[in-house]
PDB file of all heavy atoms in Angstrom:
ATOM      1  N   ALA A 599      14.624   6.597  -0.008  1.00 94.00           N
ATOM      2  CA  ALA A 599      14.880   8.043  -0.005  1.00 94.00           C
ATOM      3  C   ALA A 599      15.082   8.630  -1.398  1.00 94.00           C
ATOM      4  O   ALA A 599      15.815   9.601  -1.573  1.00 94.00           O
ATOM      5  CB  ALA A 599      16.075   8.369   0.882  1.00 94.00           C
ATOM      6  N   GLY A 600      14.429   8.031  -2.403  1.00 94.00           N
ATOM      7  CA  GLY A 600      14.539   8.552  -3.757  1.00 94.00           C
ATOM      8  C   GLY A 600      15.761   8.067  -4.515  1.00 94.00           C
ATOM      9  O   GLY A 600      16.041   8.562  -5.610  1.00 94.00           O
ATOM     10  N   TYR A 601      16.472   7.110  -3.954  1.00 94.00           N
ATOM     11  CA  TYR A 601      17.687   6.578  -4.589  1.00 94.00           C
ATOM     12  C   TYR A 601      17.594   5.065  -4.748  1.00 94.00           C
ATOM     13  O   TYR A 601      17.070   4.363  -3.876  1.00 94.00           O
ATOM     14  CB  TYR A 601      18.922   6.906  -3.755  1.00 94.00           C
ATOM     15  CG  TYR A 601      19.291   8.368  -3.758  1.00 94.00           C
ATOM     16  CD1 TYR A 601      18.895   9.207  -2.723  1.00 94.00           C
ATOM     17  CD2 TYR A 601      20.028   8.913  -4.808  1.00 94.00           C
ATOM     18  CE1 TYR A 601      19.222  10.556  -2.731  1.00 94.00           C
ATOM     19  CE2 TYR A 601      20.360  10.255  -4.823  1.00 94.00           C
ATOM     20  CZ  TYR A 601      19.956  11.070  -3.793  1.00 94.00           C
ATOM     21  OH  TYR A 601      20.281  12.409  -3.810  1.00 94.00           O
ATOM     22  N   ALA A 602      18.128   4.582  -5.865  1.00 95.00           N
ATOM     23  CA  ALA A 602      18.294   3.151  -6.062  1.00 95.00           C
ATOM     24  C   ALA A 602      19.601   2.749  -5.393  1.00 95.00           C
ATOM     25  O   ALA A 602      20.648   3.348  -5.663  1.00 95.00           O
ATOM     26  CB  ALA A 602      18.333   2.814  -7.548  1.00 95.00           C
ATOM     27  N   LEU A 603      19.552   1.758  -4.533  1.00 95.00           N
ATOM     28  CA  LEU A 603      20.756   1.324  -3.825  1.00 95.00           C
ATOM     29  C   LEU A 603      21.453   0.196  -4.587  1.00 95.00           C
ATOM     30  O   LEU A 603      21.917  -0.786  -4.012  1.00 95.00           O
ATOM     31  CB  LEU A 603      20.389   0.896  -2.394  1.00 95.00           C
ATOM     32  CG  LEU A 603      19.667   1.980  -1.586  1.00 95.00           C
ATOM     33  CD1 LEU A 603      19.419   1.510  -0.161  1.00 95.00           C
ATOM     34  CD2 LEU A 603      20.443   3.285  -1.586  1.00 95.00           C
ATOM     35  N   PHE A 604      21.490   0.373  -5.893  1.00 94.00           N
ATOM     36  CA  PHE A 604      22.243  -0.487  -6.802  1.00 94.00           C
ATOM     37  C   PHE A 604      22.535   0.369  -8.031  1.00 94.00           C
ATOM     38  O   PHE A 604      21.862   1.384  -8.248  1.00 94.00           O
ATOM     39  CB  PHE A 604      21.461  -1.767  -7.160  1.00 94.00           C
ATOM     40  CG  PHE A 604      20.178  -1.507  -7.922  1.00 94.00           C
ATOM     41  CD1 PHE A 604      20.139  -1.574  -9.309  1.00 94.00           C
ATOM     42  CD2 PHE A 604      19.008  -1.190  -7.241  1.00 94.00           C
ATOM     43  CE1 PHE A 604      18.964  -1.332 -10.003  1.00 94.00           C
ATOM     44  CE2 PHE A 604      17.821  -0.940  -7.930  1.00 94.00           C
ATOM     45  CZ  PHE A 604      17.801  -1.021  -9.313  1.00 94.00           C
ATOM     46  N   PRO A 605      23.537   0.034  -8.831  1.00 93.00           N
ATOM     47  CA  PRO A 605      23.849   0.864 -10.003  1.00 93.00           C
ATOM     48  C   PRO A 605      22.680   0.858 -10.984  1.00 93.00           C
ATOM     49  O   PRO A 605      22.367  -0.171 -11.579  1.00 93.00           O
ATOM     50  CB  PRO A 605      25.085   0.177 -10.604  1.00 93.00           C
ATOM     51  CG  PRO A 605      25.629  -0.673  -9.504  1.00 93.00           C
ATOM     52  CD  PRO A 605      24.458  -1.100  -8.677  1.00 93.00           C
ATOM     53  N   SER A 606      22.029   1.986 -11.168  1.00 94.00           N
ATOM     54  CA  SER A 606      20.799   2.036 -11.966  1.00 94.00           C
ATOM     55  C   SER A 606      20.880   3.074 -13.072  1.00 94.00           C
ATOM     56  O   SER A 606      20.902   4.280 -12.817  1.00 94.00           O
ATOM     57  CB  SER A 606      19.603   2.350 -11.060  1.00 94.00           C
ATOM     58  OG  SER A 606      18.451   2.604 -11.839  1.00 94.00           O
ATOM     59  N   GLY A 607      20.879   2.599 -14.300  1.00 94.00           N
ATOM     60  CA  GLY A 607      20.811   3.501 -15.438  1.00 94.00           C
ATOM     61  C   GLY A 607      19.454   4.177 -15.531  1.00 94.00           C
ATOM     62  O   GLY A 607      19.348   5.316 -15.979  1.00 94.00           O
ATOM     63  N   ILE A 608      18.401   3.487 -15.096  1.00 96.00           N
ATOM     64  CA  ILE A 608      17.058   4.060 -15.115  1.00 96.00           C
ATOM     65  C   ILE A 608      17.000   5.292 -14.219  1.00 96.00           C
ATOM     66  O   ILE A 608      16.482   6.340 -14.598  1.00 96.00           O
ATOM     67  CB  ILE A 608      16.020   3.017 -14.654  1.00 96.00           C
ATOM     68  CG1 ILE A 608      15.985   1.820 -15.622  1.00 96.00           C
ATOM     69  CG2 ILE A 608      14.645   3.647 -14.511  1.00 96.00           C
ATOM     70  CD1 ILE A 608      15.614   2.169 -17.040  1.00 96.00           C
ATOM     71  N   ALA A 609      17.543   5.170 -13.015  1.00 94.00           N
ATOM     72  CA  ALA A 609      17.549   6.309 -12.088  1.00 94.00           C
ATOM     73  C   ALA A 609      18.370   7.465 -12.652  1.00 94.00           C
ATOM     74  O   ALA A 609      17.955   8.633 -12.583  1.00 94.00           O
ATOM     75  CB  ALA A 609      18.093   5.873 -10.734  1.00 94.00           C
ATOM     76  N   GLN A 610      19.517   7.153 -13.231  1.00 92.00           N
ATOM     77  CA  GLN A 610      20.370   8.214 -13.771  1.00 92.00           C
ATOM     78  C   GLN A 610      19.686   8.960 -14.904  1.00 92.00           C
ATOM     79  O   GLN A 610      19.836  10.183 -15.037  1.00 92.00           O
ATOM     80  CB  GLN A 610      21.698   7.627 -14.250  1.00 92.00           C
ATOM     81  CG  GLN A 610      22.656   7.295 -13.110  1.00 92.00           C
ATOM     82  CD  GLN A 610      24.021   6.887 -13.627  1.00 92.00           C
ATOM     83  OE1 GLN A 610      24.345   5.706 -13.720  1.00 92.00           O
ATOM     84  NE2 GLN A 610      24.820   7.881 -13.982  1.00 92.00           N
ATOM     85  N   ARG A 611      18.927   8.257 -15.716  1.00 93.00           N
ATOM     86  CA  ARG A 611      18.232   8.912 -16.828  1.00 93.00           C
ATOM     87  C   ARG A 611      17.172   9.891 -16.345  1.00 93.00           C
ATOM     88  O   ARG A 611      16.759  10.784 -17.088  1.00 93.00           O
ATOM     89  CB  ARG A 611      17.598   7.857 -17.753  1.00 93.00           C
ATOM     90  CG  ARG A 611      18.599   7.191 -18.678  1.00 93.00           C
ATOM     91  CD  ARG A 611      17.915   6.620 -19.909  1.00 93.00           C
ATOM     92  NE  ARG A 611      17.032   5.517 -19.589  1.00 93.00           N
ATOM     93  CZ  ARG A 611      17.423   4.232 -19.504  1.00 93.00           C
ATOM     94  NH1 ARG A 611      18.704   3.910 -19.680  1.00 93.00           N
ATOM     95  NH2 ARG A 611      16.552   3.289 -19.236  1.00 93.00           N
ATOM     96  N   GLU A 612      16.731   9.728 -15.103  1.00 91.00           N
ATOM     97  CA  GLU A 612      15.757  10.653 -14.534  1.00 91.00           C
ATOM     98  C   GLU A 612      16.425  11.736 -13.693  1.00 91.00           C
ATOM     99  O   GLU A 612      15.775  12.423 -12.907  1.00 91.00           O
ATOM    100  CB  GLU A 612      14.728   9.884 -13.686  1.00 91.00           C
ATOM    101  CG  GLU A 612      13.919   8.872 -14.460  1.00 91.00           C
ATOM    102  CD  GLU A 612      13.151   9.471 -15.624  1.00 91.00           C
ATOM    103  OE1 GLU A 612      12.907  10.700 -15.616  1.00 91.00           O
ATOM    104  OE2 GLU A 612      12.798   8.722 -16.560  1.00 91.00           O
ATOM    105  N   GLY A 613      17.739  11.885 -13.856  1.00 88.00           N
ATOM    106  CA  GLY A 613      18.455  12.944 -13.169  1.00 88.00           C
ATOM    107  C   GLY A 613      18.845  12.624 -11.746  1.00 88.00           C
ATOM    108  O   GLY A 613      19.214  13.524 -10.983  1.00 88.00           O
TER     109      GLY A 613
END
Side-chain angles (χ1 to χ4, degrees):
Y601 290 97
L603 304 184
F604 64 96
S606 171
I608 297 300
Q610 284 187 261
R611 282 203 293 273
E612 299 302 339

